[in-house]
Amino acid sequence: MQTSESIGYWVQILQTVAIILSIVVTGFYARKAILSNGQSAKEMMRHNQDMTRQRATIDLLLHENQDQELIAAKQIVIALPDEASFIKYLEPSLCADEQSKREKASIAILLNRYEFVALGIKTGAFEEQIYKSLKYSDTIDIWNKAKPMVMELRRQKGRDTYYQEFEWLADKWKKEPLQTN
């Protein structure tokens, strides 16, 4: 026959086991919920990053269309003859007049802009497909005109890093041309 003390002992044991079981079961379901919500949170973060990158690209494109200095630089470069190479702008004696100085400054503005955009695309700050869809031809045309000058600049300065991101982007797009719809 059991005494009231031994019954109390077993009641405490059963209560402790019940508490431990409830903790284990709660922990199991909590872990499952956290993992599930964690995956959802990762997906949400990825989606937000994609939207931010797309928005940054659209803002960049809008800014390019409103930047008067950039627009003027493009107009000057576009007005240069098709066979014109930018390489002449590395020779100071050929850039003494005001027109040549404006052209040289315009080329620098464009090259620096394309270097910035290429770096943004390479690092994932800008959405490549959106920019490529709208600026593919301009990017390739400007690089083709600028390439001899960039190569000579690198040779003269002994540094291969001048406009390397712009070159990377142009080469990439030449290998993967814009597709027609």
Side-chain angles (χ1 to χ4, degrees):
M1 193 157 168
Q2 296 182 344
T3 65
S4 63
E5 288 178 6
S6 66
I7 293 175
Y9 170 76
W10 285 110
V11 167
Q12 284 181 338
I13 295 288
L14 286 174
Q15 286 176 339
T16 304
V17 168
I19 290 170
I20 291 172
L21 276 175
S22 72
I23 291 170
V24 169
V25 169
T26 302
F28 172 78
Y29 284 108
R31 182 177 183 272
K32 190 173 178 179
I34 288 169
L35 290 175
S36 175
N37 289 335
Q39 187 63 29
S40 296
K42 285 180 185 176
E43 290 172 9
M44 182 63 78
M45 284 176 54
R46 204 171 300 120
H47 173 74
N48 287 343
Q49 287 172 338
D50 290 345
M51 295 303 293
T52 300
R53 184 176 30 259
Q54 291 171 0
R55 184 69 214 173
T57 306
I58 291 167
D59 288 345
L60 172 71
L61 290 163
L62 290 172
H63 183 262
E64 285 183 354
N65 290 334
Q66 296 170 352
D67 183 341
Q68 294 305 313
E69 184 180 46
L70 184 63
I71 292 169
K74 283 182 181 181
Q75 289 171 343
I76 288 170
V77 171
I78 288 170
L80 296 173
D82 287 340
E83 67 280 354
S85 169
F86 295 172
I87 199 165
K88 85 170 198 171
Y89 297 98
L90 292 176
E91 179 58 45
S93 65
L94 297 176
C95 293
D97 63 284
E98 287 305 311
Q99 177 65 22
S100 294
K101 287 178 183 177
R102 277 195 307 279
E103 291 169 356
K104 183 177 181 177
S106 296
I107 291 167
I109 289 167
L110 282 180
L111 292 180
N112 289 334
R113 173 58 62 110
Y114 282 109
E115 182 74 358
F116 169 76
V117 169
L119 182 61
I121 288 171
K122 189 174 189 179
T123 61
F126 299 132
E127 177 64 44
E128 180 176 3
Q129 200 54 47
I130 292 172
Y131 197 85
K132 184 177 182 180
S133 294
L134 293 169
K135 298 293 185 171
Y136 175 82
S137 296
D138 289 348
T139 302
I140 299 301
D141 291 346
I142 295 295
W143 175 252
N144 287 339
K145 278 189 169 185
K147 185 177 180 177
M149 183 191 86
V150 171
M151 295 305 151
E152 180 59 19
L153 178 64
R154 290 175 181 175
R155 187 192 69 72
Q156 286 179 10
K157 300 290 185 178
R159 277 190 246 137
D160 291 337
T161 56
Y162 285 102
Y163 303 109
Q164 67 183 2
E165 308 307 337
F166 185 19
E167 179 180 29
W168 165 83
L169 184 63
D171 288 347
K172 183 177 191 283
W173 287 4
K174 285 179 183 179
K175 289 176 190 164
E176 304 164 6
L178 184 64
Q179 301 296 313
T180 57
N181 294 335

